[in-house]
Amino acid sequence: MRGRQMKTALLLGIVLVFSFMMSACGGNNGGTAGKNDPKTETGNTGTTNENKPAEPMKSGTEEHEPVTLKLITWNNTYQELYDKFHAKYPWITIEVDLIGGADDNGIVERIAALEAAGTPADLTWLMDLSPYTKGGLLEDLKPYMEKDESLRNVKLPDGFFESMESGGKRFAIPFVDVPMWVLVNKDLLEKYGLEMPANDWTYDDFRSMAKAATDPAAGEYGLTYNPIFAGHFTTAMSVANGNSPNLTYMNEDLTQSVLNSPAVLSDVKWMKELVTKDGSLPSAKKAEELGGSVNNFVNGKTLFDIGGDWVLEPLNKEAKFQWDVLPFPKGKVKQSTYHIYGPIGMLAGSKHKEAAYLWISFQFELEAQKWKIDHGANASVINDELSAYIDQSPLWQGKNTSAVKLTKDMGSIAPGATIPAFSEYMWWQPWLTEVILGGKDPNGIIPLVEAWNKKTLQLRNGGK
């Protein structure tokens, strides 16, 4: 069980991670991740491409040769969106090439295998840009976007597209913004005489409520045994407390990890006390003793859990209690909720680049944005109609929609794609799971951070 949970923590941070994602790398260290001021994105910045793409194809009555786009992904839950895209562009079909997990090396190997077979893929999900840019595997999207009239008046968060740039080229775009929430069992709130917190609640509120709802004799605990508490939740708390400039414990310009700093380690130790002092967060050993009853929020045995789009629909179908969502609590400096950006890129070897770009452009149309809201993601596009749609979405009926709206703008974006060797840095998540839930010494992380910091700087400077 522990191995499975730790693996889940790693995949959730990398996957959908994207951690993703989103920062500046190589020579582009502007640190745009986590900025929240919106701007109008025109796509008209940057250099041109010698082989400029033709004007994107548009739907209409003209005839087109049928095109099948092969998309490499580790997630197979987007079929409805593929169907919506096909309805608009009936000559284009999305074919999913599903790989076993979020692993850039595995993706690169699949790309090479498909190229060798003469059936190259067209699009791919990814995490760390470096394995793709080194091999010239990704198409620069900037020239396509400069010609895309549909993006001219689309408003997006500041630095949204730039977060995927390296060396003046835009090798990927965030196609989904997945926020995380604190999940609340409202039946347990009532049982323990607790009120539903306001959206600006604090970490002290969170801790005291979790402790108040812990009754081992009843098999009930304040917090679900979930490695995300050790991973995503703790790093968001460190940002909110002002101890870490960016998520995943990255510094201001995303060149170094600060996970080994005394201030960050104090946040880790605070979280560990929920296990060792309060008893509100079951340890790995305790969760095993309880037979898994506290491993899943839907069991109704825990007050709080952490989750994103992957848990919302199952909760609506399976939970036998009233549940709701809250943003991550307010820290000493600000309130910061964890977001995952999911990058997608067009492969340079694609034989259908114009059609592949249409899929990328489609992500920012209202139809696609509403579909993502209906499935627990944020709308990336800043639009009054989309904000109002949150109240109409079947997924959010009867829920704390004000928290959903706030979460869109208060969160930090998990960096990753443009940071050299970022995928190698993802050991921090299972390590902290062992520290917080398993009893490992937090000070043991210091030499690991120092080694990775040295390697990522070497790679930035052209070393190996």
Side-chain angles (χ1 to χ4, degrees):
M1 179 62 70
R2 276 174 75 182
R4 258 197 323 269
Q5 293 285 354
M6 286 172 58
K7 184 177 180 182
T8 300
L10 177 61
L11 290 179
L12 288 176
I14 302 175
V15 170
L16 237 147
V17 191
F18 352 85
S19 205
F20 306 122
M21 291 223 138
M22 317 325 157
S23 14
C25 146
N28 178 23
N29 298 326
T32 57
K35 294 182 180 177
N36 299 317
D37 295 332
K39 73 173 183 180
T40 300
E41 170 62 49
T42 63
N44 288 326
T45 59
T47 58
T48 58
N49 190 309
E50 290 182 0
N51 298 313
K52 288 187 176 180
E55 294 288 346
M57 297 181 293
K58 300 296 180 182
S59 58
T61 57
E62 65 271 25
E63 293 186 4
H64 300 271
E65 290 294 323
V67 172
T68 298
L69 298 176
K70 188 182 295 291
L71 167 62
I72 301 175
T73 175
W74 54 80
N75 182 304
N76 200 25
T77 61
Y78 280 74
Q79 188 58 51
E80 288 181 11
L81 194 59
Y82 302 147
D83 293 341
K84 288 179 181 293
F85 176 72
H86 180 69
K88 180 169 184 178
Y89 301 102
W91 68 93
I92 306 175
T93 301
I94 302 287
E95 177 183 290
V96 171
D97 189 330
L98 193 65
I99 63 172
D103 173 50
D104 283 314
N105 291 329
I107 296 172
V108 170
E109 290 175 3
R110 180 66 60 88
I111 292 170
L114 292 171
E115 288 274 5
T119 56
D122 304 283
L123 298 154
T124 187
W125 287 21
L126 64 147
M127 295 169 290
D128 183 345
L129 276 177
S130 14
Y132 304 88
T133 55
K134 284 179 184 175
L137 298 179
L138 297 175
E139 185 84 357
D140 181 8
L141 296 175
K142 193 176 290 186
Y144 294 81
M145 300 177 87
E146 289 173 350
K147 289 180 172 289
D148 189 348
E149 293 293 335
S150 68
L151 291 181
R152 297 288 182 190
N153 297 315
V154 169
K155 292 179 66 178
L156 293 162
D158 187 44
F160 185 82
F161 287 139
E162 289 80 359
S163 66
M164 299 289 168
E165 291 184 6
S166 178
K169 296 183 178 181
R170 189 173 296 159
F171 289 112
I173 57 98
F175 76 96
V176 67
D177 173 4
V178 179
M180 291 187 186
W181 296 277
V182 175
L183 307 174
V184 186
N185 182 326
K186 298 179 78 172
D187 288 10
L188 287 184
L189 280 180
E190 182 177 358
K191 176 177 179 178
Y192 289 98
L194 302 169
E195 297 290 333
M196 179 73 172
N199 289 331
D200 62 349
W201 66 324
T202 67
Y203 279 95
D204 287 339
D205 296 331
F206 164 82
R207 182 169 182 171
S208 63
M209 293 178 70
K211 188 174 181 180
T214 296
D215 181 2
E220 294 171 346
Y221 289 80
L223 305 175
T224 306
Y225 172 75
N226 188 342
I228 291 180
F229 276 117
H232 303 76
F233 188 76
T234 306
T235 184
M237 179 177 68
S238 196
V239 170
N241 284 338
N243 294 330
S244 177
N246 285 292
L247 291 176
T248 69
Y249 308 102
M250 293 301 295
N251 66 357
E252 189 68 43
D253 63 1
L254 301 165
T255 59
Q256 297 280 271
S257 168
V258 296
L259 179 51
N260 56 346
S261 70
V264 169
L265 289 176
S266 70
D267 291 326
V268 173
K269 291 169 184 175
W270 185 94
M271 197 70 197
K272 187 177 178 67
E273 286 182 355
L274 303 184
V275 178
T276 60
K277 187 175 181 180
D278 299 359
S280 57
L281 176 58
S283 66
K285 182 179 179 181
K286 174 58 70 174
E288 190 172 353
E289 289 175 1
L290 293 169
S293 63
V294 295
N295 291 40
N296 196 331
F297 181 70
V298 76
N299 293 336
K301 292 293 186 179
T302 53
L303 178 64
F304 295 136
D305 194 10
I306 303 297
D309 60 0
W310 60 93
V311 300
L312 300 179
E313 291 178 84
L315 274 176
N316 268 337
K317 294 176 181 177
E318 301 171 24
K320 301 295 192 295
F321 55 89
Q322 293 296 312
W323 64 273
D324 213 330
V325 296
L326 284 163
F328 283 23
K330 182 187 293 184
K332 297 174 183 177
V333 174
K334 62 180 180 179
Q335 191 167 10
S336 181
T337 290
Y338 198 108
H339 288 239
I340 296 171
Y341 269 5
I344 188 171
M346 184 198 304
L347 292 169
S350 169
K351 296 180 181 179
H352 311 292
K353 291 177 182 174
E354 292 180 4
Y357 178 73
L358 286 178
W359 168 251
I360 290 173
S361 180
F362 178 70
Q363 305 309 304
F364 304 100
E365 297 184 14
L366 291 185
E367 181 181 17
Q369 293 284 300
K370 288 182 177 180
W371 185 89
K372 291 171 186 179
I373 290 173
D374 284 338
H375 292 78
N378 277 331
S380 302
V381 174
I382 299 168
N383 178 285
D384 290 342
E385 181 179 343
L386 291 174
S387 294
Y389 183 71
I390 293 172
D391 292 316
Q392 304 165 23
S393 172
L395 178 68
W396 293 117
Q397 294 304 300
K399 304 303 180 190
N400 185 9
T401 55
S402 61
V404 178
K405 295 172 185 177
L406 284 171
T407 299
K408 182 181 186 327
D409 298 320
M410 73 168 50
S412 298
I413 306 302
T418 57
I419 298 175
F422 183 78
S423 58
E424 296 180 29
Y425 175 58
M426 293 310 294
W427 52 258
W428 70 265
Q429 292 192 59
W431 178 277
L432 284 187
T433 298
E434 284 287 340
V435 168
I436 293 171
L437 300 176
K440 183 174 285 189
D441 179 8
N443 293 317
I445 207 166
I446 294 175
L448 298 176
V449 174
E450 290 174 348
W452 183 81
N453 280 344
K454 182 179 179 180
K455 179 170 184 177
T456 190
L457 281 182
Q458 287 176 336
L459 291 173
R460 283 179 185 275
N461 295 326
K464 295 182 179 180

